[in-house]
């Protein structure tokens, strides 16, 4: 119960809420970016749609139930890294400079926000460890 309370407190932190909101917006942008930037007819468009929706769902999960989803907070930075390298890995048509720049910038943002989410989870764990640690004897 104490652990759940600590993660709820970490999720209630305004910085964590801002991070979750920005992660949600980044995921939605990534999902819509093929139509915004104009590469909807390339295979990477499907990649961006799927990974963007996954990021958006993760952000919703983090913001609504961080006490139960902190264990998968490592997924967001991994997806951010994938987003950065995807233009070179996903085959089927040459990617334009706009496609590459879109994925690299969006991937770096998702990576940074994902690392911040992990940090908030670690803060919750550290506080819980302090509460449960035996008092040092003098």
């Amino acid at each position: 119960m104490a652990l759940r309370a600590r993660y709820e407190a970490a999720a209630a932190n305004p910085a964590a809420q801002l991070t979750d909101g920005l992660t949600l917006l980044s995921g939605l942008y990534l999902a819509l970016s093929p139509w915004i930037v104009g590469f909807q007819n390339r295979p990477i468009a499907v990649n961006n749609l799927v990974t963007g929706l996954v990021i958006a769902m993760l952000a919703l999960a983090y913001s609504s139930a961080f006490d139960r989803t902190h264990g998968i907070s490592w997924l967001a930075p991994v997806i951010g890294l994938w987003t950065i390298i995807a233009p070179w890995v996903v085959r089927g048509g040459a990617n334009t400079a706009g496609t590459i720049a879109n994925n690299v910038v969006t991937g770096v943002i998702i990576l940074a926000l994902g690392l911040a989410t992990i940090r908030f989870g670690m803060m919750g764990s550290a506080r819980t460890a302090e509460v449960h640690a035996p008092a040092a004897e003098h």
Side-chain angles (χ1 to χ4, degrees):
M1 295 292 260
L3 181 61
R4 180 172 282 186
R6 292 296 176 191
Y7 284 120
E8 286 176 9
N13 179 340
Q17 292 173 348
L18 177 65
T19 301
D20 294 339
L22 291 174
T23 303
L24 175 66
L25 291 175
S26 298
L28 292 175
Y29 172 78
L30 182 61
L32 297 173
S33 66
W35 293 272
I36 294 170
V37 178
F39 57 91
Q40 67 273 15
N41 295 327
R42 292 190 163 77
I44 195 155
V46 174
N47 174 76
N48 283 16
L49 177 64
V50 172
T51 55
L53 291 175
V54 168
I55 286 292
M57 288 187 301
L58 283 172
L60 287 173
Y62 298 154
S63 65
S64 64
F66 191 68
D67 58 319
R68 288 178 283 224
T69 58
H70 70 276
I72 58 169
S73 60
W74 58 270
L75 281 174
V78 170
I79 293 173
L81 284 173
W82 169 252
T83 301
I84 293 167
I85 65 169
W88 294 280
V89 176
V90 176
R91 299 285 180 204
N95 291 314
T96 65
T99 304
I100 293 169
N102 174 73
N103 273 46
V104 169
V105 170
T106 307
V108 167
I109 290 169
I110 291 170
L111 174 66
L113 291 169
L115 291 174
T117 300
I118 289 173
R119 186 177 139 258
F120 291 122
M122 292 173 68
M123 286 171 42
S125 308
R127 287 186 191 144
T128 302
E130 290 172 8
V131 168
H132 293 296
E137 295 186 28
H138 290 70

